[in-house]
Amino acid sequence: MTWKPISSAPKDGTWIMLGIVGRKEILLAYWHRLHQAWWGQSGSTGEWEKWQKATHFQPLPEPPKETDNGR
């Protein structure tokens, strides 16, 4: 997957990965309609403002699928 400009990120409640140019971290987040802001696992703590400056996003990958032996 490649990073896309934040301006093209979905704002329909879909969970995505956010990135900021120059930082080696990501945030799993979604657009919170009520707050009109990105909201995620650390987005509601002290780092909330930082993630409002996200520059890029990626869709989440498909989750793992179970195999026949349950692994």
Side-chain angles (χ1 to χ4, degrees), residues 2-14:
T2 59
W3 289 98
K4 300 175 184 177
I6 195 68
S7 60
S8 62
K11 291 187 174 179
D12 61 0
T14 300

Side-chain angles (χ1 to χ4, degrees), residues 18-46:
L18 296 181
I20 301 174
V21 168
R23 299 191 76 101
K24 293 185 178 185
E25 57 187 322
I26 61 168
L27 174 70
L28 300 181
Y30 66 96
W31 182 255
H32 195 290
R33 194 171 44 94
L34 178 64
H35 294 288
Q36 291 293 294
W38 296 109
W39 210 255
Q41 89 274 9
S42 71
S44 57
T45 65

